[in-house]
């Protein structure tokens, strides 16, 4: 959740020790914060889904724990209003450490699992946290940005209440898994188009007749539409797979991507060429063959 301010995995990995397919050891990155000598082999390995080498050691960047934090939860009539509020936060050039959005169906699942009552306050939730010496001032500005769209806003009174709100977000996916088999999708869109993404997901749900729960890292436009089907029903065929395809096309239509975090694996290979283009995809396959000419690392995955 803190990728909103502190970035994703690659921003915290300084160096890697990698075993290549032929047994050689490769050291990537460096111990310094800055460094641009040669190609960025560190980033290449981090995003390679295990197809270029096996990581056996990682040097990670640590950040100091913030001295102050402020946590807010806001409830909205629906996902559209919550998404517009998240976009308003970005438009104000604020940098919250957390900005998470949960749809109404997700709130219902969390309430059922945890015994909470979030859904009684609204049809969508936006969880925000600011940190640092100006945490409270930044939270005041954030509250002013979302107030015209929110139905109800609460600022956590203490650390215990703040942690309870964070925990509700953490338990979103486990709560869905109590309802059936959950398939976590992972699309990204430009942040000012979040509301359009939610509207598109609602349309897909209606057209395909599937049940879609959505949570989002709203600060960076990364949505996780999660299809939940009854236990034993396939997610990789029929209406659920068609809905996945619709989600990927929606993301690309909005200028986004079919994966913001989770990678391609097997499930998304059918749609990869549409996003990358044949020239880029062919070049990446040639690059993979340079590292692993025998195709022994994670065969059949990613590209």
């Amino acid at each position: 959740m803190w990728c909103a301010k502190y970035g994703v995995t690659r921003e915290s990995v300084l160096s890697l020790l990698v075993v290549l397919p032929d047994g050689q050891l490769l050291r990537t990155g460096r111990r310094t914060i800055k460094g641009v000598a040669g190609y960025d082999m560190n980033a290449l390995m981090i995003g390679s889904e295990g197809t270029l080498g096996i990581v056996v050691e990682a040097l990670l960047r640590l950040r100091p724990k913030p001295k102050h934090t402020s946590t807010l939860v806001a409830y909205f009539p629906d996902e559209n209003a919550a998404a517009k509020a998240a976009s308003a936060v970005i438009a104000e050039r604020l940098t919250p450490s957390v900005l998470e959005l949960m749809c109404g169906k997700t709130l219902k699942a969390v309430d059922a699992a945890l015994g909470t009552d979030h859904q009684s306050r609204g049809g969508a939730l936006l969880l925000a946290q600011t940190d640092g010496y100006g945490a409270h001032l930044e939270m005041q500005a954030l509250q002013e940005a979302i107030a015209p769209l929110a139905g109800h806003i609460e600022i956590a009174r203490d650390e215990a209440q703040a942690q309870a709100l964070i925990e509700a977000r953490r338990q979103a996916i486990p709560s869905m898994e109590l309802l059936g088999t959950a398939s976590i999708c992972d699309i990204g869109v430009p942040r000012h188009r979040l509301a359009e993404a939610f509207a598109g997901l609602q349309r897909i749900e209606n057209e395909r007749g599937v049940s879609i729960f959505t949570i989002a890292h709203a600060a960076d436009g990364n949505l996780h539409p999660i299809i939940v089907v009854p236990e034993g029903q396939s997610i990789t065929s029929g209406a659920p797979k068609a809905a996945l395809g619709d989600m990927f096309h929606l993301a690309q239509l909005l200028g986004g991507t079919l994966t913001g975090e989770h990678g391609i694996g097997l499930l998304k290979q059918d749609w990869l060429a549409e996003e990358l283009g044949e020239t880029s995809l062919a070049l990446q396959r040639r690059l993979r063959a340079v590292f692993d000419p025998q195709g022994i690392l994670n065969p059949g995955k990613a590209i």
Side-chain angles (χ1 to χ4, degrees), residues 229-252:
V229 300
E231 292 291 347
Q233 182 176 328
S234 173
I235 293 205
T236 57
S237 63
K241 184 170 183 179
L244 287 174
D246 293 342
M247 291 177 193
F248 303 145
H249 293 311
L250 170 67
Q252 292 177 339

Side-chain angles (χ1 to χ4, degrees), residues 167-182:
E167 185 62 17
R169 166 59 184 85
R170 287 191 184 281
Q171 292 301 317
I173 294 176
S175 298
M176 296 172 205
E177 290 172 338
L178 297 176
L179 305 176
T181 300

Side-chain angles (χ1 to χ4, degrees), residues 268-287:
K268 300 178 182 179
Q269 286 183 358
D270 291 349
W271 301 279
L272 183 60
E274 181 179 339
E275 176 168 329
L276 295 182
E278 288 298 338
T279 300
S280 177
L281 188 55
L283 186 61
Q284 291 185 46
R285 286 173 174 155
R286 286 162 58 193
L287 182 62

Side-chain angles (χ1 to χ4, degrees), residues 72 89 94 96 99 128 130 138-147:
L72 170 150
V89 171
L94 301 172
L99 192 65
T130 55
E138 189 171 19
M139 183 57 78
Q140 181 179 340
L142 188 150
Q143 185 174 356
E144 291 172 358
I146 67 174

Side-chain angles (χ1 to χ4, degrees), residues 75-247:
Y75 299 88
F76 300 85
D78 52 35
E79 295 84 3
N80 181 64
K84 287 181 177 178
S87 296
V89 171
I90 303 304
E92 287 295 318
R93 301 182 180 180
L94 301 172
T95 311
S97 51
V98 172
L99 192 65
E100 297 286 303
L101 197 160
M102 297 165 63
C103 76
K105 291 178 69 173
T106 300
L107 295 182
K108 183 177 180 180
V110 169
D111 285 346
L114 303 184
T116 50
D117 62 348
H118 294 291
Q119 199 182 31
S120 68
R121 296 182 176 92
L125 175 154
L126 196 64
L127 172 66
Q129 191 171 80
T130 55
D131 64 20
Y133 288 102
H136 298 293
L137 289 175
E138 189 171 19
M139 183 57 78
Q140 181 179 340
L142 188 150
Q143 185 174 356
E144 291 172 358
I146 67 174
L149 294 158
H152 179 67
I153 298 176
E154 297 177 16
I155 293 182
R157 298 180 302 274
D158 50 36
E159 181 64 17
Q161 186 182 10
Q163 288 304 314
L165 293 171
I166 293 290
E167 185 62 17
R169 166 59 184 85
R170 287 191 184 281
Q171 292 301 317
I173 294 176
S175 298
M176 296 172 205
E177 290 172 338
L178 297 176
L179 305 176
T181 300
S183 175
I184 306 172
C185 189
D186 167 44
I187 59 175
V189 300
R191 296 176 294 180
H192 67 284
R193 308 197 76 172
L194 269 175
E196 293 174 80
F198 273 95
L201 291 171
Q202 182 63 61
R203 184 181 67 253
I204 292 168
E205 181 178 52
N206 294 337
E207 290 176 354
R208 296 296 182 183
V210 297
S211 186
I212 300 177
F213 299 69
T214 305
I215 53 179
H217 307 306
D220 55 20
N222 185 197
L223 299 96
H224 295 305
I226 300 168
I227 298 176
V228 178
V229 300
E231 292 291 347
Q233 182 176 328
S234 173
I235 293 205
T236 57
S237 63
K241 184 170 183 179
L244 287 174
D246 293 342
M247 291 177 193

